[in-house]
């Protein structure tokens, strides 16, 4: 069986690197083209020496016409506000695109401008983009040519919240989310805030109530649960390389119990290969370097505390993008991920 050729545009970031590592071991695809902003072409194995025995690919600057000849599926691992300058050309050429930036996640262009300080330049394809959370939009992903891979925080939050809001388990008038992430969630940028001496033995809250992932969280809650929930979200930066833990505090509607919460999660996740509902509060290390999201909860008579954990570079980015690719190519979505 002929392998599908795939490409990574923006391979040198943390997510691009994870994508390359996964795709080079994927049995049904061939990584055939990788790009980054470079002064001159450089072997991928020179950039990431541990890949030396896995690839002879040379990383180079993106060239439109060459790209069209090199692959059928493109992963755009690019900064926000860059993908929408490249995706239209690839889509016009009949290619399938999985965008890992925020450029095609938020349908409201005014909200996009608010959070990313730039006008959206590809409204035509924005309308066609499918939000790439497989557990809830698998059927649409299967038919899509453009998939907007979810944000890392949004992935964890939505997997925890959507079943409970849809089934009316928790009240939607005030949901509090305390989120914590490792430093790779900020990307491979040389900024003082992410310097070792600042991060080590330190924890800080940032962007309380204003984080950009709130836009897609609220959008998808309304799209799936048909509710405009009041979500209060505050992320924190931990002195860890990777991983996300979210703690959600919700008010239970009358007559709810632990068994009803379990039933709601079972309804949506009993057949999901990458969501595990636990009988205990999950640990971050349980999902490290995997595509799993683990969920656990504790409740009393009128409130519930839910903990969700993912690896921000995997289920929060690279491996979820590969899961989406598998669905788009009609493969078993676990292929290359388990």
């Amino acid at each position: 069986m002929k392998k599908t050729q795939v490409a990574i545009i923006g391979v040198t970031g943390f997510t691009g690197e994870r994508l390359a590592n996964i795709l080079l071991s994927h049995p049904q695809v061939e990584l055939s083209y990788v790009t980054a902003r470079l002064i001159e072409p450089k072997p991928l194995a020179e950039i990431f020496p541990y890949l030396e025995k896995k690839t002879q690919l040379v990383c180079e600057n993106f060239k439109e016409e060459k790209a069209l000849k090199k692959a059928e599926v493109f992963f755009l691992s690019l900064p926000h506000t860059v993908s929408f300058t490249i995706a239209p050309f690839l889509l016009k050429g009949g290619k399938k695109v999985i965008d890992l930036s925020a450029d095609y996640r938020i349908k409201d262009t005014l909200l996009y401008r608010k959070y990313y300080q730039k006008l959206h330049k590809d409204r035509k394809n924005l309308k066609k983009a499918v939000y790439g959370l497989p557990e809830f939009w698998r059927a649409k992903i299967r038919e899509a040519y453009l998939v907007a891979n979810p944000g890392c925080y949004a992935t964890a939050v939505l997997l925890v919240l959507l079943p409970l809001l849809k089934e009316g388990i928790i009240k939607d008038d005030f949901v509090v989310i305390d989120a914590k992430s490792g430093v790779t969630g900020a990307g491979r940028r040389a900024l003082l805030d992410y310097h070792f001496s600042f991060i080590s033995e330190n924890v800080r809250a940032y962007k309380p109530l204003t984080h950009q992932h709130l836009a897609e969280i609220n959008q998808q809650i309304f799209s799936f649960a048909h509710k405009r929930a009041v979500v209060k979200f505050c992320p924190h930066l931990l002195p860890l390389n990777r991983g996300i833990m979210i703690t959600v505090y919700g008010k239970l509607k009358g007559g709810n119990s632990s068994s009803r919460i379990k039933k709601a999660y079972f309804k949506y996740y009993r057949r999901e290969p990458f969501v595990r509902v636990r009988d205990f509060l999950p640990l971050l290390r349980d999902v490290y370097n995997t595509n799993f999201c683990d969920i656990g909860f504790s409740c009393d008579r009128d409130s519930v505390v839910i903990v969700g954990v993912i690896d921000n570079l995997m289920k929060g980015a690279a491996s979820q993008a590969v899961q989406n690719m598998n669905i788009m190519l009609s493969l078993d979505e676990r292929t290359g991920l388990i």
Side-chain angles (χ1 to χ4, degrees), residues 176-180 232-236 245-249 306:
V176 176
I177 303 167
D178 178 294
K180 299 175 179 68
K232 303 299 181 182
F233 177 67
C234 183
H236 300 74
M245 174 179 282
I246 65 159
T247 307
V248 177
Y249 302 87
I306 315 119

Side-chain angles (χ1 to χ4, degrees), residues 50-291:
Y50 69 92
L51 296 179
E52 183 176 358
K53 295 186 181 297
K54 298 182 75 171
T55 182
Q56 303 296 316
L57 274 174
V58 174
C59 184
E60 58 186 65
N61 285 289
F62 177 72
K63 298 173 184 175
E64 291 185 344
E65 295 301 331
K66 184 173 183 178
L68 290 182
K69 298 174 183 177
K70 282 289 187 177
E72 295 303 314
V73 179
F74 286 79
F75 294 89
L76 304 187
S77 185
L78 298 166
H80 310 307
T81 75
V82 175
S83 287
F84 60 42
T85 67
I86 293 176
F89 174 81
L90 298 172
L91 292 165
K92 189 175 181 180
K95 307 303 181 181
K96 294 187 176 184
V97 175
I98 301 166
D99 179 35
L100 287 96
S101 81
D103 285 7
Y104 294 97
R105 296 174 190 161
I106 302 169
K107 298 296 186 181
D108 186 330
T109 55
L110 293 178
L111 269 182
Y112 180 88
R113 185 178 185 182
K114 173 184 175 182
Y115 283 103
Y116 296 98
Q117 294 79 54
K118 198 165 186 177
L119 286 171
H120 203 287
K121 296 180 180 179
D122 186 25
R123 298 189 182 195
K124 176 184 175 182
N125 288 310
L126 177 63
K127 294 177 182 178
K128 302 175 185 177
V130 174
Y131 192 72
L133 193 63
E135 290 77 12
F136 294 95
W137 285 277
R138 182 175 284 108
K140 289 185 177 181
I141 294 167
R142 189 173 290 116
E143 303 300 321
Y145 268 76
L146 174 59
V147 168
N149 215 59
C152 52
Y153 281 129
T155 293
V157 170
L158 292 170
L159 289 174
V160 164
L161 275 183
L162 287 181
L164 302 187
L165 287 171
K166 180 71 172 180
E167 298 302 310
I169 303 294
I170 61 174
K171 297 179 181 179
D172 56 14
D173 59 345
F174 196 74
V175 179
V176 176
I177 303 167
D178 178 294
K180 299 175 179 68
S181 174
V183 71
T184 53
R188 196 172 244 142
R189 294 182 291 171
L191 297 177
L192 180 61
D193 284 353
Y194 310 119
H195 193 282
F196 175 81
S197 60
F198 185 79
I199 295 295
S200 181
E201 300 185 48
N202 195 16
V203 178
R204 72 178 176 94
Y206 66 100
K207 295 185 180 179
L209 309 179
T210 63
H211 192 277
Q212 61 269 20
H213 286 184
L214 258 178
E216 61 183 284
I217 288 168
N218 287 326
Q219 174 183 275
Q220 299 309 318
I221 287 174
F222 183 75
S223 176
F224 182 77
H226 306 296
K227 296 177 180 179
R228 297 195 183 278
V230 179
V231 176
K232 303 299 181 182
F233 177 67
C234 183
H236 300 74
L237 186 62
L238 296 181
L240 303 173
N241 282 334
R242 55 206 282 187
I244 281 178
M245 174 179 282
I246 65 159
T247 307
V248 177
Y249 302 87
K251 295 183 289 185
L252 292 169
K253 290 189 176 179
N256 286 294
S257 65
S258 177
S259 61
R260 192 162 178 226
I261 295 170
K262 287 182 179 178
K263 186 176 179 180
Y265 280 132
F266 183 76
K267 175 179 178 179
Y268 290 94
Y269 296 142
R270 67 184 183 276
R271 293 179 181 154
E272 290 299 332
F274 294 114
V275 180
R276 303 184 296 197
V277 181
R278 302 301 205 178
D279 292 324
F280 52 85
L281 300 182
L283 302 176
L284 200 53
R285 67 185 180 191
D286 295 342
V287 297
Y288 182 81
N289 205 33
T290 78
N291 195 48

